[in-house]
Amino acid sequence: MYYNDKTVSFFDGKFLKSKDTGISPYSQSLHYGLGVFEGLKAYQTQHGVRIFKPMEHFARMKKTAEALHMKFDYDTAELEKIAYELLERNKLKNAYIRPILIAADNMGLMAGGDAKLFMAAWKWPRYLGDRLLNTCISPYVRISPKAMPVMGKITGSYVPNIMASTEAKQRGFDEAIMLDETGCVAQAPGSNIFIEKDGILITPPLGYIMPGITRATVMDLAKSLKIEVRERIITVEELLEADAAIFTGTATEVAGIASVDGNLLKLPFNKSQCARIAEAYNELVHSVHEPAYTII
């Protein structure tokens, strides 16, 4: 699904066949989960292929790498250029892009050394599909900010997320909703969450959650649509009594939620403010802005 014999990736300063990367089995990323990744989406527009908000994604990646003491010399403009060239070399238009920093060879527990950049791209439909989702509250909680930085995508921090999503699907649900260590709503394994009540959107505050770029985009869209948004703690009881709800994320885009733990949300989704947001987001990512690079 992710590559074939012709697929080109970027690794350690070179474009080469994905099958020939020769990534080291002694990396701290493999043994201890010390790594940083990002996820970006490219869309076909009327005026060429455009990556949505690449500078914001790469800036977050660099900030997270710095927090983990991983040496990372590429600037955001170089990363953007690599991403566009990767799309062009693989003849991709609507695609997902995955850059990851791989830690140096080190069997010790001290961070440091020069990390290697791997970047791949492939055609990937919306992560959670296009239908309304039946969700459940997960027994696995969102990682505590007291354990590691939560402002970026750290590879090791995604183990609880994988467990949450796997457990939900084994129980017949489409996706999980994770609580934080205080028992309040945090996010989905790979997405932020908004609930709607009486026409107002509510989303958990920063602290325990991923400060999602799509989350910030949705908040901007809501402002432009004159939809009030409040950032505050959400209890489980409020989640179950919500009129509507959505997940937001780069791979997810904006996905509507039908139910939580078998409880149907109150409004038909197409009558909700959440539906307006989903439509506006789809229009935005396929619209034309002024990217530094574009593929015709």
Side-chain angles (χ1 to χ4, degrees), residues 136 140 162-175:
C136 65
Y140 297 97
I162 291 170
M163 298 302 296
S165 193
T166 301
E167 192 267 351
K169 290 176 173 60
Q170 286 175 340
R171 291 168 56 198
F173 294 97
D174 298 311
E175 187 55 294

Side-chain angles (χ1 to χ4, degrees), residues 19-37:
K19 62 185 179 63
D20 297 331
T21 53
I23 294 171
S24 172
Y26 296 95
S27 165
Q28 279 185 318
S29 298
L30 177 62
H31 289 265
Y32 304 122
L34 182 69
V36 181
F37 71 94

